[in-house]
Amino acid sequence: MVKPQLHTPQTVSLPCDQIRSFFPALNEEPGFIFFDNGAGAQIPQGVFDAIHGHLLHHNVQRGGRYPKSMEVDATIARARRSVAALINARDSDEIAFGMNATSFLRLLSLAIGRTLETRNEIVVTDLDHEANIATWLQLEREGASITWWKMREDNNLHVEDLAPLLTSKTRLVACTVASHALGSIVDVAAVAKLVHAAGAEVVLDCVHYAPHAVIDVQAFDCDYLVCSGYKIFGPHMGFMWGRRELLNALPTFREDFIPDAPPGKIEAGTFIFENVAGMAAAIAYLATLGASHGDQGEDPSPAIARAPVVRGMTLIREYEATLSAAMLEELRAAGSLIYGIDDTARLAERVPTFCFRLPNVAPEIVTETMSDCDIGIRDGHMYAPRLMKRLGVSLETGVNRASLVHYNTLQEIHEFGKVLRDMVRGR
């Protein structure tokens, strides 16, 4: 588990009707139940308005001397400060914007691959998304030696298993904060303590953790962190954080006119400004959720303070524990095989993402039956073929995944459970 979240979340409620009213897609098809948030969450109206407003009023290149261009610069600066507040960065220039988390992981691997020398060992896990594995495996061609931190039979990573893998040659450890497939949380603060004692660095994939709990790069004590906005109620874009001194030393591609300093040296070319505006609006939504339990407010554009973001994410974390408990109950009632943490006494160790299989029912049949009942879930390998292998699951069939966020409700979970039980009874 992540140390700032070690307490057991208290059961709380949120004003779900009010919260859901902020998300146009949820009201477009009122009867549809969206449990595929792990593949991308819906956006609040304020995010759409920010994207639309940028394209309508400021769809120009940054760096010009005329007002519209200067407003683009101001939008980017506000967005950097907003993301800095979201993750508790000390300096907004430690935030770089780009396409997605995967592209930033590849950028990092290319740069770090040029600095291996005698420290050439890289630790990866079999719990992670393939993006945080394959990008590092590519460095074997540059002389890297890959070490595997493997899950135990309980399908979880244990920090005490990492210690003997670390040596004087370890360059970095790459791991997730929360599993996008199993929902389990890794104690990344404990990971960082071990890794730094060995003189190495930590790269965190925070994509799946981000919509569920407070992100704090200072408490995590990591060195780099990547994230994708579309999981955090924002548009398709990504951002990366790194310690300022490490970013300054990182050998990256840049054009001659770009200073060798962050964030410019990390942002090759022009990124999508309207999506950056949308990301700032998504963080403003989270802040106003903390300020007034869901009153969106009128203007999501200014950069926001960290305190309301922390309150909003804490509310989300506590409410989602209620969702997790209800999902586990429904999955068990249908006789599902649940991969990962299935003990309601350990809700603090997971987010409401559930990887499961029904006995004697192919995952694709489960997904199609759910779809026929207006419920959206997912089946397949979840972009984690190595994890599927550890679970003893073929890539062809994969598993089912139901992934919830704070705009989902207990009533939706009960409807989901009813369909599961009907499927089992029909066999």
Side-chain angles (χ1 to χ4, degrees), residues 135-168:
T135 49
W136 304 108
L137 295 182
Q138 287 291 308
L139 296 188
E140 288 182 301
R141 296 180 300 186
E142 311 298 325
S145 175
I146 303 298
T147 301
W148 288 90
W149 175 19
K150 294 186 177 181
M151 299 184 299
R152 292 187 188 177
E153 292 304 311
D154 63 357
N155 299 326
N156 285 294
L157 293 172
H158 291 257
V159 177
E160 53 267 36
D161 295 339
L162 175 62
L165 304 179
L166 303 174
T167 74
S168 60

Side-chain angles (χ1 to χ4, degrees), residues 118-123 145-147 161-173 194-201:
T118 57
R119 278 192 175 269
N120 68 333
E121 294 178 357
I122 295 174
V123 180
S145 175
I146 303 298
T147 301
D161 295 339
L162 175 62
L165 304 179
L166 303 174
T167 74
S168 60
K169 293 185 176 182
T170 303
R171 177 66 175 83
L172 65 86
V173 173
L194 285 175
V195 173
H196 290 155
E201 296 170 355

Side-chain angles (χ1 to χ4, degrees), residues 105-119:
L105 287 169
R106 184 55 177 146
L107 179 150
L108 266 179
S109 74
L110 286 169
I112 288 173
R114 297 169 59 186
T115 68
L116 291 177
E117 299 180 352
T118 57
R119 278 192 175 269

Side-chain angles (χ1 to χ4, degrees), residues 183-336:
S184 51
I185 297 173
V186 179
D187 187 351
V188 295
V191 170
K193 185 176 181 179
L194 285 175
V195 173
H196 290 155
E201 296 170 355
V202 179
V203 177
L204 296 182
D205 174 355
C206 202
V207 173
H208 198 73
Y209 184 82
H212 301 294
V214 177
I215 306 172
D216 189 337
V217 295
Q218 309 308 326
F220 293 172
D221 197 25
C222 54
D223 299 290
Y224 302 98
L225 179 144
V226 299
C227 209
S228 290
Y230 67 93
K231 297 284 188 82
I232 327 173
F233 319 108
H236 283 270
M237 56 82 68
F239 60 84
M240 186 184 91
W241 168 88
R243 295 183 187 275
R244 182 66 183 257
E245 61 273 19
L246 296 179
L247 295 178
N248 282 333
L250 204 64
T252 60
F253 162 79
R254 62 185 178 84
E255 296 159 298
D256 284 346
F257 53 83
I258 301 294
D260 189 17
K265 66 180 294 184
I266 312 297
E267 298 170 341
T270 299
F271 48 84
I272 304 174
F273 303 142
E274 61 267 25
N275 286 356
V276 169
M279 187 69 249
I283 298 169
Y285 160 75
L286 296 172
T288 52
L289 180 65
S292 57
H293 285 220
D295 180 8
Q296 220 181 355
E298 295 180 358
D299 185 3
S301 60
I304 43 85
R306 176 159 170 83
V309 175
V310 170
R311 288 195 297 270
M313 295 309 302
T314 300
L315 282 169
I316 286 173
R317 179 82 170 116
E318 293 174 347
Y319 170 66
E320 287 185 351
T322 305
L323 300 182
S324 290
M327 277 294 288
L328 287 171
E329 182 178 345
E330 296 290 355
L331 288 167
R332 281 196 293 262
S336 304

Side-chain angles (χ1 to χ4, degrees), residues 334 373 417-427:
C373 297
K418 181 179 182 299
V419 177
L420 280 183
R421 292 190 299 274
D422 287 347
M423 269 189 281
V424 172
R425 282 194 292 265
R427 289 274 159 173

